[in-house]
Amino acid sequence: MPLAATAAVALMVLPLAGLLVRVPWSTLATELATSEAQEALRLSVVCSLGALAVAVVLGVPLAWVLARVAFPGRSLLRALVTLPMVLPPVVGGVGLLAIFGRRGLLGARLGSLPGFPLPFTIQGVVLAQAFVAMPFLVVATEAGLRQLDRRYEDAAATLGARPWHRFRTVTLPLIGPSLVAGAALSWARALGEFGATITFAGSLPGRTRTLPTAIYAGLQSRPEAAVALSVVLLAVSLTVLVVLRGRWLGAGGP
Amino acid sequence: MTLTADVGLRLGSLELDVAMRTPPDEVVAVVGPNGSGKSTLLRALAGLVRLDRGRVVLNDVVLDDVAAGAHVEPEQRPVSVMFQDTLLFPHLSALDNVAYGIRARGTGRTDARRRADTWLERVGLDGTHRDSRPAALSGGQAQRVALARALATEPALLLLDEPLSAVDVSAKAPLRRVLREQLAGSPAVRVLVTHDPVDAMALADRLVVIEQGRVSQEGPIAEVTTRPRSAWVAQLAGLNLFRGRAEGRHLVLGDGSQLTVATAVRGPAFALVHPRAVTVHRSRPEGSARNAWPGEATGLHLEGDRVRVQVHGTPCIVAELTPAGAADLRLAEGGPVWVSVKATEIDVYPD
């Protein structure tokens, strides 16, 4: 057993160590300052925050419905919502193309509207990232809502607070930790999104080339640039993990 | 100010069917064993639980009328609840908890906080705890904040769910005093729920006894306690309650009479005497009992294997005897008797 456990740790740690060994520390700053790297960084930040916004605006109401409204097929819907967490992202990308692609079921009809067509645009990147990232937010928020003692909302109601007012002043603050944990995971997932993004939105420099797709593209031409960008993503992941440690593990149940 | 409620609902295994009417100027205690439906009744009055049948009318305003399809949402009712485990919002300070209801009804932040501050002062919360979160408050302090929060919206109906059950013994007496003061000073219809007979007697004028979802007895405290109609009420009624002012080992009652007690207390107090501790005599007793006075046996009731005797005197008291003892005394309704109570048999509580 200890041997297998050691092997498991090695399997997880060695690639990270390898990455750190290859980092061109002396030229890291210059590598990250190139216009390609800067563009990818900027695009990644913008798109991942956009995806997070979409996830919050749509995901919180969905979590509320799943936690509070009893309807036939609720368990099925709950399972469906978590599907993107286990689905290969590239499959998600193919699905997005099938619906929102130029010749997709909806895409073909919406093509003339402003902001459309979606493929190979920054909106497309946001959509692909939101598709993959939203389940994390929904799952964490729903767990928070289910753990909340609803009598606090009753108390607010007897004090004269209307539904929206009590949601804003009592429910949201009380599920705050779960919501923050879900948002952080969701954002980190969006930031690292690769498969669905490259399938649906491609990797056009300056338009849809986010950090992960820039890393993939860079590996063939300039590996040291790819390693430098990888270090950035690794640092972000570690930060999110440190911030959420305990909190996520405590509140992330189904 | 009156509340007329006819509440019929089914919740899990509980079937609640309660009709009650609160006369103006009386504090009503809904009492009964755990699980009898008291809290559910309170939630129904607050609008948090829908009725299956019935009507709730507060000061001529219909809050619920199932037949007519009327239901006023909790946030629209002029009703406040002091919840059993306070349910203070954990993310807000004591002050903001109290200000919450005032703000929800449209008052600005500064004004609401100023009014909340006055309420906290009224319930006697130490100023240093104004900005504390509920988690940092003691049980008694949290209950005070909960009371202030319920009062601050100036409700027409004030509901209190076990307001004294969550605090430890040492905090009870001062909290009970605050509750009495505030209940007396509130113009609202006041209904409290408790499973503790002492709390009910200390705070209310009128009892509504609920057992298994139904009213088993209702009336002024003295009436219910002298004529219990069920085992639970009999147990509750097992208590004689006296209110007065304690001066050392003497409790001076409202009718001018005095009781000698074994524990020294100062100021307003109430005393409880179990009817079994009251001895009835044909003539003036000569024993060591410190408290003895004459009266008239006005009521004789057989309760299971006990006879309850109501003695009209100064003060009035209920005694409980064995049927053999009652026969030996040849007690008759209206006959003259003497009663005595040992000082050590009187439990005194600061009020």
Side-chain angles (χ1 to χ4, degrees), chain A residues 51 54-56 58-59 62 81 129-139 186:
Chain A
V54 171
V56 169
L58 300 182
L62 175 57
V81 165
Q129 290 181 347
F131 173 81
V132 174
M134 191 156 67
F136 291 88
L137 185 109
V138 175
V139 167
S186 188

Side-chain angles (χ1 to χ4, degrees), chain A residues 42-102:
Chain A
R42 189 189 55 82
L43 204 62
S44 260
V45 169
V46 169
C47 290
S48 60
L49 288 177
L52 176 61
V54 171
V56 169
V57 168
L58 300 182
V60 171
L62 175 57
W64 190 86
V65 168
L66 287 175
R68 292 294 170 80
V69 186
F71 56 92
R74 175 157 72 163
S75 313
L76 187 70
L77 180 61
R78 187 177 289 133
L80 212 62
V81 165
T82 50
L83 187 62
M85 291 167 94
V86 288
L87 187 78
V90 62
V91 177
V94 171
L96 285 168
L97 274 176
I99 285 291
F100 294 113
R102 272 165 222 281

Side-chain angles (χ1 to χ4, degrees), chain A residues 86-126:
Chain A
V86 288
L87 187 78
V90 62
V91 177
V94 171
L96 285 168
L97 274 176
I99 285 291
F100 294 113
R102 272 165 222 281
R103 278 191 282 275
L105 287 174
L106 289 175
R109 268 159 231 168
L110 300 171
S112 55
L113 292 176
F116 287 86
L118 291 171
F120 305 104
T121 61
I122 186 166
Q123 309 88 281
V125 176
V126 171

Side-chain angles (χ1 to χ4, degrees), chain A:
Chain A
M1 289 296 265
L3 201 65
T6 312
V9 172
L11 182 61
M12 288 185 281
V13 172
L14 280 179
L16 301 182
L19 176 64
L20 291 177
V21 167
R22 293 286 300 278
V23 174
W25 294 109
S26 53
T27 56
L28 188 61
T30 7
E31 288 294 351
L32 293 177
T34 62
S35 65
E36 292 86 14
Q38 286 292 309
E39 256 171 5
L41 272 167
R42 189 189 55 82
L43 204 62
S44 260
V45 169
V46 169
C47 290
S48 60
L49 288 177
L52 176 61
V54 171
V56 169
V57 168
L58 300 182
V60 171
L62 175 57
W64 190 86
V65 168
L66 287 175
R68 292 294 170 80
V69 186
F71 56 92
R74 175 157 72 163
S75 313
L76 187 70
L77 180 61
R78 187 177 289 133
L80 212 62
V81 165
T82 50
L83 187 62
M85 291 167 94
V86 288
L87 187 78
V90 62
V91 177
V94 171
L96 285 168
L97 274 176
I99 285 291
F100 294 113
R102 272 165 222 281
R103 278 191 282 275
L105 287 174
L106 289 175
R109 268 159 231 168
L110 300 171
S112 55
L113 292 176
F116 287 86
L118 291 171
F120 305 104
T121 61
I122 186 166
Q123 309 88 281
V125 176
V126 171
L127 190 66
Q129 290 181 347
F131 173 81
V132 174
M134 191 156 67
F136 291 88
L137 185 109
V138 175
V139 167
T141 308
E142 196 208 338
L145 281 168
R146 286 166 159 274
Q147 280 162 13
L148 174 68
D149 186 342
R150 293 192 59 184
R151 293 178 311 149
Y152 285 115
E153 292 164 338
D154 289 346
T158 63
L159 290 166
R162 285 158 195 279
W164 173 243
H165 183 72
R166 53 184 191 257
F167 180 76
R168 211 165 42 76
T169 55
V170 173
T171 315
L172 269 186
L174 291 183
I175 63 161
S178 305
L179 188 59
V180 168
L185 284 173
S186 188
W187 175 71
R189 185 66 190 80
L191 190 70
E193 214 309 304
F194 175 73
T197 311
I198 203 160
T199 312
F200 185 57
S203 179
L204 305 177
R207 286 186 64 195
T208 65
R209 183 168 286 180
T210 57
L211 282 177
T213 48
I215 291 168
Y216 183 72
L219 267 183
Q220 277 126 42
S221 49
R222 296 189 48 240
E224 55 285 1
V227 170
L229 292 177
S230 298
V231 168
V232 173
L233 285 182
L234 176 62
V236 171
S237 304
L238 283 175
T239 309
V240 169
L241 198 64
V242 167
V243 168
L244 291 184
R245 221 183 83 85
R247 185 180 264 182
W248 171 43
L249 296 176

